[in-house]
Amino acid sequence: CGEEFVTLALDEASVLSPPGKNEFWQTIFDKLREYLPADPSPAIPEPMGDNAAKAFGETKFPFGAHRGKRIDEVPLSYLVFVADDNAFRQQLRRYLRSPRIQREMESSHRWIDE
């Protein structure tokens, strides 16, 4: 039964535009989530030891406004923001699924970096 559902869903999605596919799969995901147990809280990673933290602090930050700076030179508030970006990512996903952005995605040039 599960395999038949997946085959049917793949067939349905194959005729949709990219934004339509996103909306289709997000709808299926949201509906399935109603039947799944709640996610356990995310595991909190073990803290680094002082030596590991010192070595990591000397590495270059890979993206954003502080790209290329040593991590130990990046403001702590920015590092906390980046490390705790779950809320931002969730809002960004909601933004991308908004009707206004979906319409823009269907006819947009924003898919290509300007």
Side-chain angles (χ1 to χ4, degrees):
C1 182
E3 243 178 76
E4 291 174 28
F5 171 77
V6 171
T7 301
L8 180 61
L10 289 170
D11 287 345
E12 289 293 320
S14 70
V15 298
L16 300 172
S17 66
K21 284 181 185 178
N22 285 346
E23 184 176 348
F24 174 79
W25 289 114
Q26 189 63 51
T27 301
I28 288 179
F29 178 78
D30 291 343
K31 285 295 180 187
L32 289 173
R33 192 173 21 195
E34 292 174 13
Y35 297 96
L36 298 173
D39 291 337
S41 56
I44 298 173
E46 290 292 317
M48 289 181 179
D50 286 341
N51 290 337
K54 183 178 185 299
F56 184 72
E58 294 170 355
T59 63
K60 302 288 184 189
F61 201 78
F63 59 87
H66 299 286
R67 181 185 187 134
K69 289 184 184 176
R70 287 172 42 138
I71 288 175
D72 58 11
E73 295 172 346
V74 175
L76 290 173
S77 60
Y78 188 77
L79 295 176
V80 168
F81 166 73
V82 170
D84 189 27
D85 69 351
N86 253 355
F88 175 75
R89 285 183 183 194
Q90 185 176 40
Q91 287 295 91
L92 185 56
R93 283 191 293 270
R94 292 181 64 219
Y95 168 80
L96 292 172
R97 288 183 8 226
S98 71
R100 180 177 74 85
I101 298 302
Q102 289 293 307
R103 286 189 303 274
E104 189 173 337
M105 289 169 79
E106 289 174 2
S107 63
S108 180
H109 58 280
R110 282 182 64 186
W111 283 104
I112 301 170
D113 290 340
E114 296 178 353

